[in-house]
Amino acid sequence: MLETITLQVIEVAKQAGAFIREERTKFNSDKIEYKGLNDLVSYVDKTAEGIIVEALEKILPEAGFLTEEKTIKRTGERYNWIIDPLDGTTNFIHGLTVFSVSIALKEYDELVAGVVYEVNLDECFYAWKGAPAYLNGKEIHVSKAPKIADSLLATGFPYYDFTKQPQYIALFTDLMQHCHGLRRLGSAATDLAYTACGRFDGYYEYNLKPWDIAAGIIIVRQAGGTVTTFIGGNDVLEKCDIVATNALIGDELVEKIGEYFVS
């Protein structure tokens, strides 16, 4: 059942992605709206979400929804979709080509399927409970880097809540001196997908929302990686800070983050 659902969700994500890709060619800045400080949205996000919701309702009519743009408000007893129709909106608006569609399915309290569609590269990452993770039909695995010193890491920058910025900058400075490099793509869903397939060895960020990371979490885990909070817990969707790694550097990265973010 989960395999069938996931394969259907892939087509939904690609449908939304095709719309987003087409709108990028004619988008202009007067269509931008602000949900908060540096929190941008446009009709593209909202319309893409509508496309996704309409299609997913046909797949699991009884399911509820947790969506970024709140085009629908409904909680399911057993199943709930967690959706970011356009993860990387700021990139999209400014013409940068890193943005993704992210769709996850939660059964009770467990993530059981996830799809991240990287729109411009036409790369679809996906996984479901009990199976490997895939990229465009080919099985993927996390990297084998044994320690931070051998790793390429990804992160995200604070853009509205700057209360932890000093700790973040101190951690960033520390890590950049002790790894192969740090990257900031501007899409948490993409960062997680790239960790799942071994392009990144680890990824960390705070101040996230469930729709940013839900699909990526299960993809990383099914690819052999680990995903925890900054203090090593499993309640990532509730805390919305995240450490996703190839498992080999997980404890080391959590310990390093703890030097700056945990008293």
Side-chain angles (χ1 to χ4, degrees), residues 126-128 131-135 138-141 196 218-220 222-224:
Y126 56 96
W128 62 90
Y134 297 91
L135 163 56
K138 296 182 179 180
E139 192 172 326
I140 55 174
H141 303 277
I218 186 169
I219 296 171
V220 170
Q222 297 307 120

Side-chain angles (χ1 to χ4, degrees), residues 181-201:
L182 281 156
R183 301 290 183 265
R184 197 275 190 176
L185 300 183
S187 166
T190 304
D191 289 328
L192 286 163
Y194 285 10
T195 301
C197 72
R199 294 173 186 170
F200 294 139
D201 305 293

